[in-house]
Amino acid sequence: MAMEFWFEFASTYSYPAALRIEALARSQGVPIVWKPFLLGPIFRTLGWSDSPFNLQPVKGRYMWRDLERICAELAIPFRRPSQFPRNGLLAARIACWFEGKPWVPEFVRSVYRANFAEDLDISNAPLLESYLDSLGQPGAALIQQAQSPESKEKLRAQTERAVALGIFGAPMFVVGPELFWGNDRLEAALAWYKSHPQAEH
Amino acid sequence: MAMEFWFEFASTYSYPAALRIEALARSQGVPIVWKPFLLGPIFRTLGWSDSPFNLQPVKGRYMWRDLERICAELAIPFRRPSQFPRNGLLAARIACWFEGKPWVPEFVRSVYRANFAEDLDISNAPLLESYLDSLGQPGAALIQQAQSPESKEKLRAQTERAVALGIFGAPMFVVGPELFWGNDRLEAALAWYKSHPQAEH
């Protein structure tokens, strides 16, 4: 089985993870499945009406500076979004409905760059359509399909599966029963995958 | 200036950090100042009456498994404490009042091992006295001094300084104006210290 990469488009630490996971995992021979989900419903079950980085400003200040340092270290462009968190619902539906399509990882990276490097509104359908088009896909048609009742239900079910797996934040790397939380645990997750027999995954 | 290591005796991720920081920092030529403080008063200002790992059981489950994996990887003994969080007030007063004494780091490690490897009650004064005695110190006398009004005030002021620095969790590594949060950021903090001129610290 593959290692699962669970991400939420509004999640700050998912940004560097999304940008670096594919090349890093490929170099180590670890297959990845991209699993978009929504943190909003999970946060609401914890009693939070907003990102904890907004609810706890002292933690938010730390996170923004920390993310800035991490991106500088990785040579990833970063601009603090003027709106946080941004609404990644449509982008998540697209990435979820078309799971496994070869263009999904690059689409996901485009959306993350829009949010955290270009300060663009990722809920904007024409923007997402332009990303799909630039990947050689029929953007308008794909967006229509991603807004079907079946697609909406698929993302809902995926978020429910996240809860069932014990996922409470993003990014989360899942290797069999093991969870690894945070961009800075990507290496540990890959190492775990490689050091444990496939049958256990 | 030295890099500051801010820790709380009840903090789970402070345990591996406390056990490995001295050797790692010394091997890199980075001076460390040990700064005990209390998270309880800080959590209360965030509206929490308990550890977030107890208030959010799904996050707590993750943390205990994660800590187990980290300790196994570092070959550090670990036994999940039967009581969490434990009361580290007296131990913190001792480590704070005697800051800079050469026996403090080993005393701190003894207390962390008691809490997270031996499942012992670290609020127990005779236990702490035995650790001090075994380090060649007059345990009973030191504990008496650590319970003086001046000592209590010193730890209170130190916790207030933590708040002023923007510290909201432990362990926290402080290099000049930069905060690095978590055992897994120790390497990044040391690298930052070495790559930035001393004058900036």
Side-chain angles (χ1 to χ4, degrees):
Chain A
M1 278 173 73
M3 180 169 111
E4 293 178 349
F5 168 42
W6 290 77
F7 60 95
E8 139 80 72
F9 281 108
S11 153
T12 55
Y13 287 110
S14 295
Y15 168 51
L19 261 64
R20 68 199 190 93
I21 190 170
E22 193 170 51
L24 189 61
R26 184 183 297 140
S27 74
Q28 302 193 18
V30 177
I32 299 292
V33 179
W34 296 62
K35 293 283 185 188
F37 73 110
L38 299 180
L39 269 178
I42 295 177
F43 283 173
R44 279 192 287 277
T45 67
L46 294 171
W48 302 340
S49 57
D50 195 353
S51 162
F53 295 127
N54 288 338
L55 296 172
Q56 302 164 36
V58 66
K59 206 165 177 175
R61 271 194 298 278
Y62 170 80
M63 179 277 294
W64 289 115
R65 174 61 184 144
D66 190 43
L67 186 64
E68 186 178 33
R69 283 190 313 230
I70 289 168
C71 291
E73 174 75 20
L74 296 169
I76 289 173
F78 171 71
R79 193 195 309 174
R80 180 170 168 174
S82 55
Q83 189 195 335
F84 175 80
R86 281 219 170 85
N87 181 345
L89 176 61
L90 177 56
R93 283 177 178 158
I94 295 169
C96 181
W97 184 245
F98 295 106
E99 180 185 313
K101 300 283 185 196
W103 51 264
V104 166
E106 186 54 33
F107 170 74
V108 170
R109 286 188 289 266
S110 297
V111 177
Y112 273 112
R113 282 193 208 98
N115 197 357
F116 294 107
E118 294 153 18
D119 195 21
L120 295 174
D121 177 9
I122 60 169
S123 72
N124 182 281
L127 181 74
L128 302 183
E129 188 181 322
S130 74
Y131 293 152
L132 294 166
D133 289 344
S134 74
L135 290 165
Q137 304 305 314
L142 297 190
I143 285 179
Q144 199 175 3
Q145 292 172 51
Q147 287 174 312
S148 68
E150 296 77 11
S151 171
K152 293 177 180 176
E153 179 49 36
K154 186 177 180 189
L155 181 61
R156 251 196 308 272
Q158 184 131 301
T159 298
E160 279 167 23
R161 188 173 155 241
V163 172
L165 287 171
I167 291 174
F168 53 85
M172 192 74 79
F173 311 105
V174 180
V175 183
E178 301 288 334
L179 305 182
F180 296 84
W181 180 37
N183 168 66
D184 49 14
R185 310 304 304 283
L186 173 53
E187 283 77 4
L190 291 168
W192 188 273
Y193 184 96
K194 291 186 294 177
S195 64
H196 288 76
Q198 296 295 306
E200 293 181 20
H201 296 159
Chain B
M1 280 174 72
M3 181 169 109
E4 293 180 349
F5 168 42
W6 289 78
F7 60 95
E8 139 78 72
F9 281 108
S11 153
T12 54
Y13 288 109
S14 295
Y15 168 51
L19 262 63
R20 68 199 190 93
I21 190 171
E22 194 170 51
L24 189 61
R26 186 183 296 138
S27 74
Q28 302 193 19
V30 177
I32 298 292
V33 179
W34 295 62
K35 293 284 184 186
F37 73 111
L38 299 180
L39 269 178
I42 295 177
F43 283 173
R44 279 192 287 279
T45 67
L46 295 172
W48 303 340
S49 56
D50 194 353
S51 163
F53 294 127
N54 288 338
L55 296 174
Q56 302 165 34
V58 67
K59 206 165 175 174
R61 272 194 298 278
Y62 170 80
M63 179 278 294
W64 289 115
R65 173 60 184 144
D66 190 44
L67 187 63
E68 186 177 34
R69 283 189 312 230
I70 290 168
C71 291
E73 174 76 19
L74 295 168
I76 290 173
F78 171 72
R79 193 195 310 175
R80 180 170 168 172
S82 55
Q83 190 195 332
F84 175 79
R86 282 218 169 86
N87 181 345
L89 177 60
L90 177 55
R93 283 176 178 158
I94 294 168
C96 182
W97 185 245
F98 295 105
E99 179 185 311
K101 299 284 186 197
W103 51 264
V104 166
E106 186 55 34
F107 170 74
V108 170
R109 286 188 290 265
S110 298
V111 176
Y112 272 112
R113 282 194 208 97
N115 196 359
F116 294 107
E118 295 153 16
D119 195 21
L120 295 173
D121 177 9
I122 60 170
S123 72
N124 183 280
L127 181 75
L128 302 182
E129 188 180 323
S130 75
Y131 293 151
L132 294 166
D133 289 345
S134 73
L135 291 165
Q137 304 304 312
L142 296 190
I143 285 178
Q144 199 175 4
Q145 292 172 52
Q147 287 174 312
S148 68
E150 296 78 11
S151 170
K152 293 177 181 177
E153 179 50 34
K154 186 178 180 188
L155 181 61
R156 250 196 308 271
Q158 184 131 300
T159 297
E160 279 168 23
R161 188 175 155 240
V163 172
L165 288 171
I167 291 174
F168 54 86
M172 192 74 79
F173 310 103
V174 180
V175 184
E178 301 287 334
L179 305 182
F180 296 85
W181 180 37
N183 168 66
D184 50 15
R185 309 305 303 283
L186 173 53
E187 283 78 3
L190 291 168
W192 188 273
Y193 184 96
K194 291 186 293 175
S195 64
H196 288 75
Q198 296 295 304
E200 294 181 20
H201 296 159

